[in-house]
Amino acid sequence: MSASHAFSHLVPDVILDAVESTGLWSDSRIYPLNSYENRVYQIGIEDGPTVIAKFYRPERWSEAQIKEEHLTLLRLQEESVPVVAPMVFNGESLFSHNGIHFCLSPKLIGQHPEADNLDQLYQLGELIGQVHQKMNAPFTKRISVLPLEQMTQAAKHILAEDYLPQKLKPIYQAQITKLIDLSATRIQAYWPTQLRAIHGDSHRSNLMLHNGQFHLLDFDDCQNGVAVQDIWLHLTQTENPRQQLSEMIEGYEAYLPFETRELDLIDVFKSARVIQYAAWLQQRWSDPAFIKAFPWFASEEYWLNHLSELHSCEQEWGQFSR
């Protein structure tokens, strides 16, 4: 099974067989959820609550890395931290069917946070602080963030293919070089002596307000990184984004002190995310789900907009610095 068509054999019968291999009995209701890197389905269960089945993209994470993610979530759940942990059957949370790892978790019903709600931003800061406090030791199996290397590799992959129009490649290379140079200067000025365990992708869609409490979902990208990585994604372009930042940090510091020097790294992580997103789409473009979901990726208009976004990263550099 090639990585480009990793889920080509994941048809309904296979999905249900996998779920039922855990001992549950499905009622044959399957509803696909919005996920592209992995495949995620809502599965109806006879005489029981609906579950969420997550099938991991083969060759992305090792079995040891996934198990470390699961162990972290189960420990957080034991500590009453509001996360959604995988379900355990006979002492196991990770299973394999037809060569694909999968897990099951309870279905959570609720709403995502409101982008500009300051009260909610304070609560999100509290939740992230609580998660970081309980994940008090770095991961031993997961990756560690390396912004300069990740930006460089992502740009290299983009330039090596023909999705980016040839006439735009010199402009792209020049813009990337500027952002990498700016990032290198920031990192040379400050980088923590030790990285910490973080969620790694704590955007609004990975948070759910359930029974009056926010829950952090989907630890698929958990890694060793910097605390501000789990904070800056909640800052939107409003009249006063610094107030948003202040609310997040105040909530965070209810559990842990926040190193203000990390604010100078927001521009680095913002630029890295923009660059890596385009590289991710390109890398997965042979997956039919990506072609269907992102048909505009192969257009010149997409790349012009991408260049504009990269330029904005440069123009807005320093917006959140101390």
Side-chain angles (χ1 to χ4, degrees):
M1 184 183 296
S2 68
S4 58
H5 298 287
F7 301 109
S8 58
H9 301 304
L10 197 60
V11 296
D13 285 347
V14 172
I15 295 168
L16 294 180
D17 285 346
V19 171
E20 293 180 351
S21 71
T22 66
L24 297 179
W25 191 254
S26 78
D27 60 14
S28 299
R29 289 179 297 150
I30 304 177
Y31 183 77
L33 300 180
N34 187 24
S35 178
Y36 303 106
E37 185 62 15
N38 304 300
R39 294 293 187 270
V40 182
Y41 304 91
Q42 177 178 299
I43 310 292
I45 300 298
E46 287 193 1
D47 302 321
T50 297
V51 300
I52 303 300
K54 175 181 178 180
F55 293 84
Y56 289 87
R57 181 175 290 273
E59 301 179 7
R60 180 166 183 252
W61 300 124
S62 69
E63 182 175 337
Q65 287 173 319
I66 298 173
K67 285 185 174 180
E68 186 172 37
E69 169 200 340
H70 286 196
L71 182 59
T72 298
L73 282 166
L74 290 167
R75 286 174 175 169
L76 288 173
Q77 182 175 257
E78 288 176 0
E79 295 277 359
S80 299
V81 179
V83 297
V84 177
M87 299 168 68
V88 177
F89 300 87
N90 298 319
E92 300 292 336
S93 63
L94 182 64
F95 309 94
S96 183
H97 187 77
N98 281 13
I100 299 181
H101 289 304
F102 75 96
C103 69
L104 304 180
S105 60
K107 178 185 177 182
L108 200 69
I109 300 175
Q111 298 80 40
H112 298 303
E114 301 169 16
D116 299 321
N117 187 313
L118 295 180
D119 289 336
Q120 290 189 356
L121 286 171
Y122 178 86
Q123 294 173 53
L124 297 182
E126 285 185 307
L127 175 55
I128 292 169
Q130 185 181 14
V131 169
H132 286 186
Q133 181 193 58
K134 297 300 183 181
M135 295 196 305
N136 54 10
F139 293 112
T140 60
K141 308 296 184 184
R142 306 292 296 199
I143 66 170
S144 294
V145 66
L146 297 167
L148 295 180
E149 290 85 343
Q150 289 163 338
M151 283 190 275
T152 300
Q153 286 301 312
K156 182 179 178 180
H157 288 312
I158 288 173
L159 290 166
E161 301 291 340
D162 294 326
Y163 296 100
L164 174 65
Q166 189 65 36
K167 65 182 180 180
L168 297 179
K169 286 188 176 182
I171 303 172
Y172 177 85
Q173 179 66 77
Q175 185 63 66
I176 291 293
T177 299
K178 290 180 183 179
L179 291 174
I180 290 177
D181 288 346
L182 286 168
S183 298
T185 299
R186 283 288 173 84
I187 290 171
Q188 288 166 7
Y190 171 72
W191 189 253
T193 55
Q194 183 175 6
L195 299 178
R196 65 171 311 111
I198 64 169
H199 179 279
D201 194 31
S202 63
H203 55 76
R204 288 176 58 241
S205 295
N206 280 336
L207 285 143
M208 186 76 74
L209 182 60
H210 173 74
N211 290 339
Q213 185 176 42
F214 279 109
H215 290 65
L216 190 54
L217 318 176
D218 192 4
F219 278 62
D220 195 61
D221 288 296
C222 63
Q223 60 190 264
N224 292 320
V226 181
V228 79
Q229 283 179 260
D230 281 346
I231 291 177
W232 80 266
L233 289 173
H234 299 281
L235 307 178
T236 57
Q237 296 297 325
T238 65
E239 292 182 0
N240 193 4
R242 281 191 169 274
Q243 188 175 5
Q244 292 181 323
L245 184 59
S246 177
E247 292 293 334
M248 291 281 293
I249 293 174
E250 186 177 352
Y252 186 91
E253 290 192 320
Y255 289 90
L256 284 175
F258 179 79
E259 173 55 74
T260 57
R261 287 180 293 178
E262 290 187 13
L263 297 179
D264 292 341
L265 298 174
I266 291 178
D267 295 310
V268 175
F269 291 121
K270 179 181 177 181
S271 300
R273 190 174 181 87
V274 172
I275 298 167
Q276 288 180 285
Y277 181 74
W280 174 66
L281 290 178
Q282 179 171 290
Q283 182 184 11
R284 299 290 188 240
W285 191 240
S286 56
D287 184 330
F290 278 71
I291 296 173
K292 181 178 180 180
F294 310 103
W296 33 258
F297 171 74
S299 69
E300 181 174 319
E301 182 181 5
Y302 167 76
W303 291 102
L304 288 171
N305 289 333
H306 178 58
L307 282 167
S308 177
E309 193 172 9
L310 292 173
H311 183 65
S312 293
C313 288
E314 180 189 357
Q315 294 299 109
E316 295 168 3
W317 199 268
Q319 182 181 16
F320 297 107
S321 297
R322 293 169 293 157

